[in-house]
Amino acid sequence: MAAAINILRGVVLTLPWLIWVFIVDFIVSLLSPFLPIVPDICYNISSALAESGWYWIQLIFTRANGAIITVSGDVLPHGESAVIVANHVMWCDFYMIQELAVRAGMLGRCRYFAKTQLKWVPFLGWGLWALGMPMVSRRWDKDKRELDRVFSGIVYRKWPTWLVSFSEATRYTPGKHAASVKWCAEHDRPQPQHLLYPRTKGFVTTVQHLRKATHVKAVYDLTIAYQKGDQFHCPPSMWETLSVPDITKSEGYRFHVHARRFPLSELPTTDDGLAKWLETCWVEKGNWLEEKRLEWLTSVAE
Ligand SMILES: *[C@@H]1O[C@H](CO)[C@@H](O)[C@H](O)[C@H]1NC(C)=O
């Protein structure tokens, strides 16, 4: 019975939102022919539309379904453009990033690296492309044109942006973790705890390009952690985030996002230096996650 009520609840909460997303998608797609003529206006309109959709789903999760997201670390400056790297556990990671983006007034300016296959999802893929999401295959020679498209808006038109990349390229699973451990052992690299070894190529390319954009001032490293009961790294499914009431208090889910801000001017300038920087960042991120796990473990035992 409770399950049936949750399904109904999820549908009632999600359906109006989905309809709005389709409308937004439609308008954003209609804007794309005007993009070369009035690029800044198009970017502002599509950002405002995107913000409405993203804020709405954030409210479903946090207000309607009672998710309590804990934030820690550096306070991110209001309205600042940045390159953002985060670990990837589940679909719902975007709520954690949005929580910070709302506080920094940058929700409408979030642009995520997405898989190129998404371009072929009818309707939705178009909208993502028109919004200026970089759609990459992760074969960097092939992605050059796409990156030039996205970076030129940021570099030459100075569009405010949070450019978000999940540097592990894929979601965390025990199987992928085992593969990462093996790869790190073979290549003499440190394996970060609770994480996959990051892909450095995309990060290096992004930072080297966006250095030319004077308004992009920093790299933010976001660490996302979940707990359910006494289980670490155990996030809810997307459907649960939309349908389950009181997801923190009655279901025992915990959500945490930890932010660190690094001025771009303090990062290494060489490609190798940047790759090494990201590696160190991931090792520190892993240590932070282990501390969080222990802290949560003790608090559950109490
Ligand atoms: C777009 O929005 C930004 C910031 O909100 C503003 O500074 C800029 O003037 C806007 N551009 C246009 C063409 O409306």
Side-chain angles (χ1 to χ4, degrees):
M1 188 63 193
I5 289 175
N6 279 359
I7 290 174
L8 190 64
R9 180 192 163 77
V11 170
V12 168
L13 283 171
T14 311
L15 200 59
W17 175 78
L18 262 182
I19 293 168
W20 178 241
V21 167
F22 273 98
I23 295 170
V24 163
D25 203 67
F26 186 65
I27 304 172
V28 169
S29 304
L30 286 184
L31 279 177
S32 55
F34 301 97
L35 200 59
I37 311 162
V38 278
D40 297 348
I41 293 173
C42 285
Y43 185 72
N44 280 1
I45 296 174
S46 60
S47 295
L49 287 166
E51 181 167 358
S52 69
W54 291 334
Y55 193 55
W56 187 341
I57 195 172
Q58 191 75 7
L59 290 181
I60 294 178
F61 183 54
T62 57
R63 293 285 164 79
N65 294 340
I68 298 171
I69 302 174
T70 309
V71 170
S72 63
D74 296 335
V75 174
L76 304 174
H78 201 268
E80 181 178 70
S81 291
V83 174
I84 289 143
V85 292
N87 59 311
H88 199 7
V89 190
M90 236 320 158
W91 287 102
C92 55
D93 293 344
F94 76 90
Y95 293 115
M96 312 304 132
I97 295 168
Q98 294 199 154
E99 184 72 20
L100 294 172
V102 169
R103 293 174 189 215
M106 291 297 278
L107 183 61
R109 308 304 196 174
C110 287
R111 298 294 181 272
Y112 292 79
F113 277 92
K115 291 198 178 84
T116 187
Q117 295 93 305
L118 277 177
K119 220 184 284 183
W120 309 114
V121 178
F123 231 22
L124 195 70
W126 247 97
L128 293 178
W129 184 86
L131 268 179
M133 300 270 183
M135 307 192 102
V136 293
S137 62
R138 299 254 171 202
R139 290 207 300 270
W140 290 100
D141 45 331
K142 296 216 163 146
D143 290 334
K144 194 178 172 310
R145 263 182 62 193
E146 174 67 356
L147 291 178
D148 284 344
R149 175 181 82 97
V150 172
F151 291 155
S152 71
I154 304 175
V155 174
Y156 300 111
R157 309 219 61 88
K158 307 217 179 307
W159 286 342
T161 307
W162 268 27
L163 192 58
V164 186
S165 152
F166 293 111
S167 301
E168 293 151 305
T170 177
R171 273 174 288 149
Y172 178 94
T173 65
K176 288 173 194 161
H177 179 77
S180 174
V181 169
K182 184 161 171 282
W183 186 90
C184 283
E186 283 167 8
H187 294 82
D188 198 22
R189 304 279 171 80
Q191 168 64 47
Q193 302 181 80
H194 307 292
L195 298 164
L196 309 176
Y197 189 85
R199 307 281 186 95
T200 54
K201 192 86 199 260
F203 176 72
V204 172
T205 311
T206 305
V207 170
Q208 296 298 39
H209 271 82
L210 295 193
R211 249 189 234 289
K212 290 178 235 151
T214 46
H215 68 297
V216 179
K217 297 265 192 284
V219 173
Y220 302 159
D221 166 46
L222 309 184
T223 306
I224 295 165
Y226 301 98
Q227 173 105 339
K228 185 183 186 189
D230 58 0
Q231 271 182 294
F232 188 65
H233 247 11
C234 182
S237 68
M238 194 62 208
W239 176 243
E240 280 179 282
T241 69
L242 295 169
S243 60
V244 174
D246 224 1
I247 196 161
T248 290
K249 292 220 177 84
S250 57
E251 297 295 308
Y253 278 113
R254 299 192 195 195
F255 308 98
H256 197 117
V257 56
H258 182 70
R260 294 193 299 165
R261 178 184 181 277
F262 300 93
L264 208 47
S265 56
E266 290 174 14
L267 260 64
T269 49
T270 63
D271 289 5
D272 286 347
L274 282 172
K276 188 79 197 154
W277 184 91
L278 191 68
E279 179 187 284
T280 308
C281 178
W282 241 248
V283 169
E284 288 167 2
K285 195 191 257 308
N287 295 343
W288 186 90
L289 282 167
E290 177 59 11
E291 273 175 36
K292 192 81 223 164
R293 186 184 73 84
L294 293 173
E295 182 196 315
W296 274 343
L297 205 60
T298 358
S299 76
V300 169
E302 272 162 6

